[in-house]
Amino acid sequence: MAGIKDVAAAAGVSVATVSRALNGHRSVSPDTRERVLEAVGRLGYRPNAVARSLRTDRTRTLGLVIGDVMNPYFTELARFVEEEARARGYSVIIGNADERPELQDHHIRTLLDRRIDGLLVSPADGRSPFAPGTRPPTPPVVLVDRWVPGLDVTVIRAEGASAVRDLVRHLRALGRRRIAVITGPPATTTARERVAAFREAIAAQGLHLPEAYVGEGDFRADSGRRVTEAFLDLPEPPEVVFATDNLMALGALDAIRSRGLRVPEDIGVAAFDDIPWFQHTDPPLTAVAQPVAELARAAVGALTDLIEGRAARSVTLSARLVVRRSCGERPAGPTPTNGPRRSA
Amino acid sequence: MAGIKDVAAAAGVSVATVSRALNGHRSVSPDTRERVLEAVGRLGYRPNAVARSLRTDRTRTLGLVIGDVMNPYFTELARFVEEEARARGYSVIIGNADERPELQDHHIRTLLDRRIDGLLVSPADGRSPFAPGTRPPTPPVVLVDRWVPGLDVTVIRAEGASAVRDLVRHLRALGRRRIAVITGPPATTTARERVAAFREAIAAQGLHLPEAYVGEGDFRADSGRRVTEAFLDLPEPPEVVFATDNLMALGALDAIRSRGLRVPEDIGVAAFDDIPWFQHTDPPLTAVAQPVAELARAAVGALTDLIEGRAARSVTLSARLVVRRSCGERPAGPTPTNGPRRSA
DNA sequence: ACCGCAGATGAAATCGATTACATGCGGGTC
DNA sequence: GACCCGCATGTAATCGATTTCATCTGCGGT
């Protein structure tokens, strides 16, 4: 493979000049630059990013560690993160934690070893993702979506409380009062927040939430099914199941169907995290939608700010309720609470 | 950040010895090794992968370039590829081509610049993914799923022809004779193959395929909707729509529902590429399933073989038909053609 | 007592780029 | 005409590891 030396030889200049010509330095005569570029083209030379990184101590690479690639929410997040990073001249290496803390640690360690310039994490559990032994996480870190309580780093997330309030109000308006919730692993902030928001909203509507209506899942479809089955076995089953994650909502849907019940006639379903698929389920699912693209953009923006020495503040965007048909038909007339609303 | 020199100083040995101790060389006295390891632990030293790669000319990294991350088939493929690679001590960098050839080229270039040890590609179009200027693709390359006709590289894929035959036979057994197909971009081998297999299967069953029953999509949901709408507008609409990709199947489902038609009573739907979501749609979708995990394993296996100097042969696994309910109820009695079948 | 060999270690070259410093040269200023 | 400045370029140090080659030590064989 042709190296910078070959180019230098071919162009009859020194390696320093080649480097300067390629990095757009002033003080390289147009004539020389021309010759260098010609040689580069002729040899098909491409600079070795490894060598360059060693010298400059910058990899122009961001690490992104997410809870689960197979979760469409994260897939979408990853996609937008890469897009925004690319626009800013960075590559992204994705680490899939598969919701396993030790795998998350593995990826973070690997990414740090590769000297990525910055790290974006959506922590799988409540522990600091910087295991002991990982000294001051050298590169800047930004947390997305999920965060870690005592950890003082920039966090980019969406608040869902008001959308959850909207959801409960919407359900109430449809005449549904017995609402059950499937929570995520209590170790994640998102799970705790969503349940808290839900409890509050229930109380605000003057409704009651028996403990039997709170079931713990793990952000996977199977757990949604399991928990929903328990709900259906209750002497007084709920009228709506609210899953705090999209995969668990799917599981809920399965459990309900396998009992021969109909959605929304017999029981309603709602989910946190809206994903393209929800338009295609039958019935289309009512969900709380996070502004994923904006989250991704804000996160990459904050991270690159930190990398390039600027300050970065935490940002909280707002989620919104997307009403579809899985909780029952909307009563006639305009419903002021669920039009598309811009996030902050 | 602590470097190997600091460790050497702390342990009272030379950098060479530290390196040897860490890389498990023989001829390092147990005593010295001990001291080195202690110093490493105390300083929290982690070797700089960039420097190491520069010297050894190996990054222990694989590149994976796929058509579209948001397509669950590829997401799953990526997930298994990473898993298998990790088991073999490699990391994976994913490049999302978004079905755009120029973006694919961008990713391949970037990956080569980073001196990945090997490249896994599922080419977005029929062109060689090695644009002019990219001289002999230095690292070994393996194509997965999709391939490029004149290009002589190892290909790991699944043949769907027999499963498509099974599908058509199945449809026929359910009494459906007018079957339409939504194809992918003709530039991809997979699209061409699938249609060819379908035409053959139709002929083998003595059925007829009018050209109006062949619509071209682009592997995205929207195109599925558009093409299906055209089918439904036909004076004699098809009894079944076969989408040669999962996303387009979703689009088809939407188009059908928005006309108020029922699946499978009014019209059946089948898809190529089975994904977990298809169990949760209503009705669950009948699909041709590729052995994704096996494909991923075989691909990574072949690639690491090449990287480590061994030979690698192309492999063709076989897809199988998964019958669900989207094309009509199975007639009573055992249907021999659709039990779970192992791939080759 | 001497030779040779193996084991343990260190000094220094090396990978391919960037960049601080040095050099040479031409032109403007007084 | 001497001086200085800045442009264009080259020489060589540098980044942090691995690895070749050299050195040293001790021990067994004769």
Side-chain angles (χ1 to χ4, degrees), chain B:
Chain B
M1 168 131 329
I4 198 174
K5 283 202 207 117
D6 306 294
V7 176
V13 297
S14 74
V15 294
T17 302
V18 174
S19 174
R20 281 188 279 250
L22 257 33
N23 294 307
H25 260 266
R26 58 190 154 286
S27 101
V28 172
S29 77
D31 175 51
T32 318
R33 182 181 312 261
E34 176 77 16
R35 287 216 315 289
V36 169
L37 261 30
E38 185 275 336
V40 165
R42 189 152 44 80
L43 300 179
Y45 167 74
R46 302 241 77 212
N48 182 328
V50 174
R52 187 206 295 264
S53 293
L54 176 60
R55 182 63 233 257
T56 60
D57 202 32
R58 307 208 50 210
T59 50
R60 296 210 71 85
T61 301
L62 270 29
L64 169 66
V65 178
I66 55 182
D68 177 11
V69 239
M70 299 294 285
N71 182 326
Y73 168 75
F74 283 122
T75 316
E76 201 173 350
L77 184 71
R79 181 234 155 100
F80 284 119
V81 162
E82 193 277 335
E83 209 158 279
E84 180 69 15
R86 179 154 34 80
R88 294 171 184 254
Y90 287 85
S91 304
V92 175
I93 304 185
I94 302 171
N96 173 28
D98 219 27
E99 302 292 3
R100 279 148 52 194
E102 84 282 4
L103 193 46
Q104 165 179 291
D105 292 347
H106 165 87
H107 282 123
I108 292 181
R109 221 176 308 121
T110 310
L111 289 167
L112 294 179
D113 286 353
R114 288 171 177 262
R115 300 303 193 262
I116 48 161
D117 293 339
L119 188 56
L120 241 32
V121 190
S122 186
D125 63 350
R127 291 202 347 252
S128 161
F130 307 103
T134 314
R135 296 277 178 279
T138 321
V141 174
V142 167
L143 303 187
V144 216
D145 183 41
R146 306 174 181 174
W147 79 100
V148 176
L151 198 61
D152 183 33
V153 299
T154 305
V155 178
I156 309 294
R157 62 193 198 90
E159 70 84 32
S162 67
V164 169
R165 253 194 315 276
D166 289 350
L167 170 64
V168 173
R169 198 177 309 135
H170 163 73
L171 296 175
R172 184 88 213 272
L174 293 172
R176 316 250 174 168
R177 309 179 55 100
R178 297 199 311 275
I179 312 173
V181 63
I182 310 179
T183 75
T188 57
T189 48
T190 41
R192 289 203 304 276
E193 280 193 321
R194 291 170 192 178
V195 182
F198 177 72
R199 284 184 191 277
E200 242 173 71
I202 285 286
Q205 286 293 315
L207 297 175
H208 174 60
L209 180 67
E211 277 314 302
Y213 278 10
V214 179
E216 182 182 326
D218 61 4
F219 286 156
R220 307 288 181 118
D222 259 352
S223 68
R225 177 177 359 233
R226 191 170 29 75
V227 172
T228 305
E229 270 161 11
F231 288 156
L232 297 177
D233 286 337
L234 254 25
E236 190 172 51
E239 293 163 321
V240 175
V241 173
F242 171 43
T244 57
D245 167 69
N246 54 45
L247 258 21
M248 298 193 298
L250 261 318
L253 231 37
D254 287 351
I256 292 168
R257 286 220 197 87
S258 72
R259 300 263 175 133
L261 300 173
R262 289 159 313 157
V263 178
E265 293 82 354
D266 299 317
I267 185 166
V269 173
F272 202 104
D273 280 345
D274 189 29
I275 54 172
W277 288 86
F278 284 173
Q279 301 168 39
H280 309 289
T281 53
D282 189 29
L285 277 185
T286 290
V288 172
Q290 295 196 50
V292 186
E294 284 88 344
L295 280 174
R297 278 195 271 278
V300 173
L303 189 55
T304 53
D305 279 351
L306 289 172
I307 291 173
E308 286 154 21
R310 295 184 293 276
R313 289 202 346 278
S314 290
V315 177
T316 303
L317 305 176
S318 61
R320 67 178 216 283
L321 178 65
V322 175
V323 173
R324 297 206 183 85
R325 300 202 327 272
S326 62
C327 297
E329 289 301 327
R330 216 172 316 189
T335 322
T337 54
N338 50 33
R341 189 196 321 152
R342 284 308 296 149
S343 49

Side-chain angles (χ1 to χ4, degrees), chain A residues 97-173:
Chain A
D98 219 26
E99 301 293 0
R100 281 149 50 195
E102 83 281 6
L103 193 47
Q104 166 179 291
D105 291 347
H106 164 87
H107 282 122
I108 292 181
R109 221 176 308 120
T110 309
L111 290 167
L112 294 180
D113 286 354
R114 294 178 170 249
R115 301 301 192 264
I116 48 160
D117 293 339
L119 188 57
L120 241 33
V121 190
S122 187
D125 63 351
R127 291 197 350 249
S128 161
F130 306 103
T134 314
R135 296 279 177 279
T138 322
V141 174
V142 167
L143 303 186
V144 215
D145 184 40
R146 305 174 181 174
W147 79 100
V148 176
L151 198 62
D152 183 32
V153 300
T154 305
V155 178
I156 308 294
R157 63 194 198 89
E159 72 83 33
S162 66
V164 169
R165 251 194 318 275
D166 289 349
L167 171 65
V168 174
R169 198 177 310 136
H170 163 72
L171 296 175
R172 185 86 212 272

Side-chain angles (χ1 to χ4, degrees), chain A residues 60-97:
Chain A
R60 297 210 70 85
T61 302
L62 270 27
L64 169 66
V65 178
I66 54 182
D68 177 11
V69 238
M70 299 293 285
N71 183 324
Y73 168 75
F74 283 122
T75 315
E76 201 173 348
L77 185 71
R79 181 235 155 99
F80 285 119
V81 162
E82 193 276 335
E83 210 158 277
E84 180 68 15
R86 179 153 36 79
R88 294 172 184 256
Y90 287 85
S91 304
V92 175
I93 304 185
I94 302 170
N96 172 27

Side-chain angles (χ1 to χ4, degrees), chain A residues 313-325:
Chain A
R313 290 203 345 278
S314 291
V315 177
T316 302
L317 304 176
S318 61
R320 67 177 216 281
L321 177 65
V322 175
V323 174
R324 297 204 184 87
R325 299 203 327 271

Side-chain angles (χ1 to χ4, degrees), chain A residues 55 168 185 269 306:
Chain A
R55 182 62 233 258
V168 174
V269 173
L306 289 171

